[in-house]
């Protein structure tokens, strides 16, 4: 089971990373906080202070177009916001 799926890079998470040393990840829905902590520490070599998780539900939308009604949905996912120890940081842009 892969715990960390991908990092979240948005304006809000980037600002939190600079100010409060917090980083966001999309994680497996069945992963708990202890597994997320171990996966981040192993993958990036940092010390994790706390992990906050939240589950986003799937959103359903309906659009009215010339060809008729089109319905769609976004997928549900689990997000983890990880706070690192003072002095540690994660650089997502080195591998680009």
């Amino acid at each position: 089971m892969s715990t960390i799926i991908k990092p979240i890079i948005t304006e809000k998470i980037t600002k939190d990373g600079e100010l409060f040393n917090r980083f966001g990840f999309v994680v497996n829905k069945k992963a708990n906080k202890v597994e997320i902590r171990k996966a981040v520490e192993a993958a990036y070599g940092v010390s994790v202070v706390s992990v906050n998780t939240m589950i986003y539900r799937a959103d359903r939308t309906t659009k009215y177009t010339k060809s008729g009604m089109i319905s769609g949905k976004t997928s549900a996912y689990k997000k983890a916001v990880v706070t690192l120890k003072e002095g540690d940081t994660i650089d997502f842009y080195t591998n680009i």
Side-chain angles (χ1 to χ4, degrees), residues 4-57:
I4 299 174
I5 297 173
K6 64 180 180 179
I8 299 173
I9 301 174
T10 60
E11 289 183 22
K12 185 175 181 179
I13 291 288
T14 305
K15 185 181 75 165
D16 277 355
E18 294 170 357
L19 297 177
F20 305 112
N21 217 16
R22 291 186 195 137
F23 298 92
F25 298 95
V26 175
V27 296
N28 189 335
K29 276 188 160 186
K30 295 183 179 180
N32 60 25
K33 292 183 181 187
V34 176
E35 293 171 349
I36 295 168
R37 174 190 298 256
K38 289 179 183 176
V40 170
E41 287 177 348
Y44 297 103
V46 293
S47 298
V48 176
V49 175
S50 67
V51 178
N52 297 32
T53 59
M54 55 215 81
I55 297 176
Y56 285 88
R57 63 178 173 81

Side-chain angles (χ1 to χ4, degrees), residues 54-67:
M54 55 215 81
I55 297 176
Y56 285 88
R57 63 178 173 81
D59 285 333
R60 300 192 186 284
T61 60
T62 304
K63 297 176 185 174
Y64 300 98
T65 63
K66 288 182 182 179
S67 61

Side-chain angles (χ1 to χ4, degrees), residues 7 43-44 90-96:
Y44 297 103
I90 298 173
D91 189 14
F92 296 123
Y93 302 109
T94 57
N95 297 342
I96 296 178

